[in-house]
Amino acid sequence: MVSQQSPSLHTVTAPPFWHCGRTVTGDMYRLLVALVPAALLGVYRFGYDALTVLAVAGLTAVITEALIQRLMEQSPSAHDFTALADGILLAFLLPATAPWWLVVVGSAVTIILGRMVFGGFGGSPVCAPAVGWCVLTVSWPAYMDLNGMLLRWDLVEPLSELKYFGVEAISGISLSSLVFGQNLGALGASQAGLVLAAGVALLCMGQIRWYIPVSYLAGVFGTALIYWLIDPQLYASPLFHLLAGTTMFTAFFLLPYPSASPVFRIPMILFGLMAGALTILIRVYGIYPDGAPFAVLLANLCTPLLDLIQPKPFGGR
Amino acid sequence: MKKLSTATPLSDSIRSIPAPQRVRIALGRGHTPAVKRKQVVGKGQVLAETTSSGPFGVGFVHATIDGIVEDILPEAIIIGPIPSPGEGKEAPVPERPGRAEHKNLADEALVRWLREMGIDTSRFHPSRTVVVNGLNPEPGAFLSEQLLRDERATLDAGINLLERAVRPGNVHLVVARGSGYGLHGAHVVEADPQYPSTLDALVAVTATGSENPEATDVISVADLYRVGRVATTGLPLTEAVLTVEGHAVRVPTGTPIVEVLDALGVQVPAGATVALGGPMTGEAISSLDIGVPENCTAITIVPPGRYPQVGPNPCINCGECVLVCPARIQPGMLSRYAEFALFEETRPRHIAACVECGMCTYVCPANRPVLQYIRLAKHKLEEQDAFVATCRLQDE
Ligand code: SF4
Ligand code: SF4
């Protein structure tokens, strides 16, 4: 009998032979696509400037990574979209009218200090876009001041209002206007509703896990609730904190940054709760209106400690 | 993460295929050939005996077709067709052994008999709890449920014989929820057929509730079926039952894989991975000419390019592997230590707990060979331990 099998070489590898099909490139692609609606709304609200910021931030990130990789004699990895994603994430945190040089510096810092000094994507113990944002905020506070930068619009930035003028100043800001991003705020991160939708979409695709976002939002809500119960005349309502500023964006896009967040379940939940509480503490006592990215970095520092809380291995007594 | 269910539609029946002309019967390290080259052998005749004589261990090897011993290799015996005799000579008649009785045997004598009939008895121990893993162990490999549905009588005969041979304390059968399968005298436990909970180590947990079950042996339905087959026929074990791409098939042990695939009309695309066993723990083969081993329960074919290529990519520390690891260890971290040859570091991080389910590699978005690194580390640690042990012996 003549065999039907074509004489051919077979691929011999070690098991498992199946894979779930996820790749870093695919993940980053989905992340970027998920952010498109929020970015479009940002461009719609803040005009052409917003598009420039997005483009400059993305491009600078990719170019910076390529240059540093050449210096470090690493193989280029622009094709996996991780640098582009970091640049876009940073752009989401910036005022739409940020000058180009600020964007370039921020994006370069994101890549250099946020990841290349640690060896590249996946090696960094901190959330890279949060690093970029913090460096810019500390170095050029005037250019990062959302109220000041967006004077062109006859609107207010909710968290700055709260910080400088108290709870009464925000009484006119409805929750729905926060959901639909109808106030001043960071380019994309202020589109709370669409950012939440993007996060939930990624959650449903199994790309991000619920542990960190949910516990973070719970941490924000719980801590804000405590203050609010103490004195509602002095402190904003927990729902306001959930929707204002970069809370939603932090929950789904900054805090679960893969290499900088814990990996075990209980540590992830503690990590989220902690970052949530820190966010409110910084908003209440700090000198900056929105401290979410600071809270992210502080929580990142605790990741190795939190990951020491490990379950017993299989069969362990 | 997509769930990996092992629930699979079964084949209508277990098919047989035309007997092969030539078989290649694998030998283990503990086997010594009992035949010579050019010897005429009958189906069921002993080809190789085992070097150890105790009741528990690998089984004897038998001829699975009538034929002539064409070659004796260290790893296999090849039996081919008997050449036609010259003019005026009589064709040699292969002798097949007759039915052997086991009615009067019990305990060790019966175990030894099983061994002589070709059953690997190393998994059995006297007076222990026996857990029969009635779940399909891996996605796509459905022999367990096929046998539970179609071969109930043989399986019951297997249980009866085991009861006389090893007198198990309890017999548990773990089956998929709602499947309704049962076995004579077995306590049925239902479980979700979700990989990797379908692997023996985790099925033992389902059945006994303990991760360190005392005195417990886990056997597969196929193991039990082989015992039952020998018990009902009284003949040595000469066949393997396996599933291939949705078919269930019964073949003489040693049938070249290519003939099995041809008979079933299964095409292997160029460059595909062909593996003995399931897609998660199987063993890839380089040639389709090798014979079906006796304990083979599935052939898995993975076309090239279906999945992202696994390669030495850096770990992005995402923790996906940690979330799916049934051993509750950090596969990503362990694989990084192995990657940089820091094998000793993996010991205090519980590398020994790994059950080699492969979920870590399956889910890794960076497409790292996570389990492969872990296996490397395990292997290196074993080597080191062996080396240390030899040094100690020399010192004494
Ligand atoms: S899944 Fe892969 S990339 Fe993620 S932590 Fe595990 S080994 Fe690293
Ligand atoms: S193979 Fe990977 S997932 Fe499975 S037990 Fe071992 S380390 Fe854990």
Side-chain angles (χ1 to χ4, degrees):
Chain A
M1 187 171 69
V2 180
S3 168
Q4 312 151 9
Q5 311 299 336
S6 51
S8 70
L9 292 176
H10 301 291
T11 311
V12 178
T13 54
F17 310 112
W18 283 8
H19 190 276
C20 68
R22 265 179 82 177
T23 58
V24 172
T25 315
D27 278 12
M28 289 300 139
Y29 178 75
R30 279 187 294 274
L31 180 128
L32 290 168
V33 169
L35 286 177
V36 165
L40 285 181
L41 195 59
V43 172
Y44 170 74
R45 293 237 186 283
F46 301 114
Y48 185 66
D49 287 346
L51 201 59
T52 320
V53 170
L54 283 166
V56 172
L59 201 64
T60 310
V62 174
I63 293 174
T64 314
E65 188 199 42
L67 288 178
I68 306 275
Q69 279 179 333
R70 176 161 291 189
L71 273 181
M72 290 170 67
E73 295 177 4
Q74 290 183 355
S75 43
S77 65
H79 58 271
D80 69 9
F81 298 147
T82 58
L84 182 62
D86 274 355
I88 298 294
L89 290 181
L90 174 74
F92 264 57
L93 292 167
L94 299 179
T97 52
W100 67 268
W101 58 265
L102 188 81
V103 183
V104 169
V105 171
S107 190
V109 165
T110 297
I111 295 298
I112 298 173
L113 287 186
R115 46 196 274 188
M116 294 321 288
V117 293
F118 304 105
F121 181 70
S124 94
V126 286
C127 168
V131 172
W133 182 90
C134 291
V135 168
L136 294 184
T137 300
V138 172
S139 313
W140 293 279
Y143 286 105
M144 292 294 282
D145 174 17
L146 292 166
N147 251 347
M149 288 301 288
L150 302 170
L151 276 179
R152 222 193 291 164
W153 286 270
D154 195 17
L155 293 166
V156 291
E157 200 275 308
L159 285 173
S160 310
E161 288 297 289
L162 174 66
K163 173 108 256 160
Y164 304 120
F165 306 105
V167 172
E168 257 139 66
I170 57 160
S171 58
I173 298 176
S174 69
L175 290 179
S176 70
S177 77
L178 290 173
V179 170
F180 297 111
Q182 287 157 340
N183 301 284
L184 295 189
L187 194 162
S190 61
Q191 320 302 336
L194 285 182
V195 168
L196 173 65
V200 171
L202 293 181
L203 207 77
C204 294
M205 285 187 245
Q207 183 164 327
I208 37 187
R209 305 268 156 230
W210 64 267
Y211 305 94
I212 293 176
V214 170
S215 60
Y216 174 74
L217 295 177
V220 168
F221 187 88
T223 318
L225 183 68
I226 294 172
Y227 280 105
W228 189 64
L229 288 178
I230 291 173
D231 190 349
Q233 304 304 315
L234 208 54
Y235 302 107
S237 82
L239 277 177
F240 172 84
H241 277 296
L242 275 190
L243 294 168
T246 59
T247 313
M248 284 297 164
F249 188 69
T250 302
F252 291 97
F253 295 94
L254 298 184
L255 209 53
Y257 200 76
S259 59
S261 52
V263 291
F264 286 108
R265 286 176 178 82
I266 291 174
M268 280 196 276
I269 290 173
L270 293 177
F271 174 80
L273 289 174
M274 191 176 100
L278 279 172
T279 301
I280 297 300
L281 289 179
I282 295 174
R283 283 183 186 175
V284 171
Y285 299 111
I287 54 167
Y288 300 101
D290 190 0
F294 285 121
V296 171
L297 290 192
L298 287 173
N300 286 163
L301 296 183
C302 302
T303 294
L305 283 177
L306 289 171
D307 256 344
L308 291 179
I309 309 172
Q310 295 178 4
K312 272 201 193 103
F314 184 82
R317 268 166 257 230
Chain B
M1 205 255 331
K2 276 174 251 152
K3 291 209 162 176
L4 259 187
S5 169
T6 69
T8 313
L10 303 184
S11 169
D12 295 342
S13 61
I14 302 178
R15 291 175 54 177
S16 296
I17 62 169
Q21 289 275 303
R22 188 170 275 109
V23 290
R24 195 186 169 92
I25 303 172
L27 293 184
R29 208 175 286 158
H31 287 129
T32 28
V35 288
K36 294 193 188 66
R37 283 184 61 162
K38 302 286 174 232
Q39 185 175 335
V40 171
V41 290
K43 181 176 174 183
Q45 188 175 336
V46 174
L47 289 184
E49 297 181 348
T50 54
T51 33
S52 74
S53 59
F56 299 100
V58 292
F60 285 15
V61 178
H62 303 85
T64 58
I65 55 171
D66 294 333
I68 183 168
V69 178
E70 286 190 342
D71 208 351
I72 301 178
L73 306 169
E75 74 285 352
I77 292 181
I78 297 166
I79 297 177
I82 303 170
S84 56
E87 280 293 313
K89 279 190 216 152
E90 261 182 55
V93 186
E95 255 180 70
R96 293 187 177 190
R99 238 185 101 89
E101 267 313 321
H102 57 85
K103 291 256 160 9
N104 305 325
L105 299 174
D107 299 309
E108 289 213 343
L110 186 53
V111 181
R112 185 169 288 125
W113 179 80
L114 278 178
R115 212 181 158 189
E116 284 164 11
M117 299 303 272
I119 304 281
D120 182 350
T121 56
S122 46
R123 280 203 159 189
F124 304 125
H125 302 87
S127 345
R128 295 175 52 152
T129 301
V130 169
V131 177
V132 182
N133 182 357
L135 300 171
N136 292 330
E138 294 184 47
F142 56 90
L143 183 67
S144 299
E145 293 205 340
Q146 186 85 38
L147 291 175
L148 281 171
R149 194 192 71 182
D150 295 352
E151 298 286 348
R152 173 74 193 264
T154 310
L155 294 174
D156 283 346
I159 290 271
N160 278 331
L161 189 139
L162 278 189
E163 267 164 7
R164 275 162 48 218
V166 290
R167 307 190 189 281
N170 288 304
V171 179
H172 301 284
L173 170 72
V174 180
V175 296
R177 210 173 291 289
S179 62
Y181 297 125
L183 276 182
H184 165 77
H187 169 236
V188 174
V189 185
E190 295 201 323
D192 278 327
Q194 209 71 251
Y195 191 82
S197 318
T198 50
L199 291 177
D200 286 356
L202 295 136
V203 162
V205 182
T206 311
T208 63
S210 160
E211 289 185 357
N212 290 296
E214 266 172 43
T216 299
D217 294 327
V218 184
I219 63 172
S220 68
V221 178
D223 290 335
L224 187 61
Y225 174 75
R226 284 181 211 116
V227 174
R229 189 78 180 163
V230 169
T232 47
T233 59
L235 294 172
L237 192 65
T238 56
E239 56 171 35
V241 196
L242 62 154
T243 61
V244 189
E245 300 277 292
H247 306 276
V249 59
R250 186 193 307 275
V251 299
T253 305
T255 306
I257 305 248
V258 63
E259 287 189 31
V260 180
L261 297 178
D262 282 349
L264 296 174
V266 173
Q267 273 269 301
V268 179
T273 298
V274 180
L276 302 180
M280 301 301 283
T281 66
E283 185 194 343
I285 54 175
S286 57
S287 153
L288 297 183
D289 295 330
I290 72 162
V292 174
E294 178 183 280
N295 58 5
C296 177
T297 56
I299 296 177
T300 298
I301 299 166
V302 183
R306 177 181 288 183
Y307 300 111
Q309 176 120 36
V310 166
N313 310 315
C315 170
I316 60 168
N317 226 347
C318 64
E320 287 298 312
C321 50
V322 178
L323 289 179
V324 295
C325 176
R328 300 187 297 271
I329 53 180
Q330 290 192 67
M333 196 53 108
L334 294 174
S335 72
R336 289 162 131 192
Y337 282 118
E339 188 176 7
F340 296 103
L342 298 168
F343 303 117
E344 269 308 317
E345 298 292 325
T346 62
R347 241 192 260 264
R349 289 172 179 82
H350 311 290
I351 190 169
C354 168
V355 298
E356 308 211 358
C357 67
M359 281 308 282
C360 41
T361 307
Y362 177 78
V363 299
C364 178
N367 313 123
R368 276 166 71 75
V370 190
L371 170 58
Q372 291 84 332
Y373 279 127
I374 291 179
R375 263 200 220 106
L376 171 71
K378 280 184 170 181
H379 177 73
K380 290 283 178 191
L381 290 180
E382 256 168 44
E383 265 182 7
Q384 238 160 45
D385 290 347
F387 180 70
V388 170
T390 348
C391 289
R392 275 223 194 93
L393 279 180
Q394 281 167 356
D395 279 354
E396 272 165 18

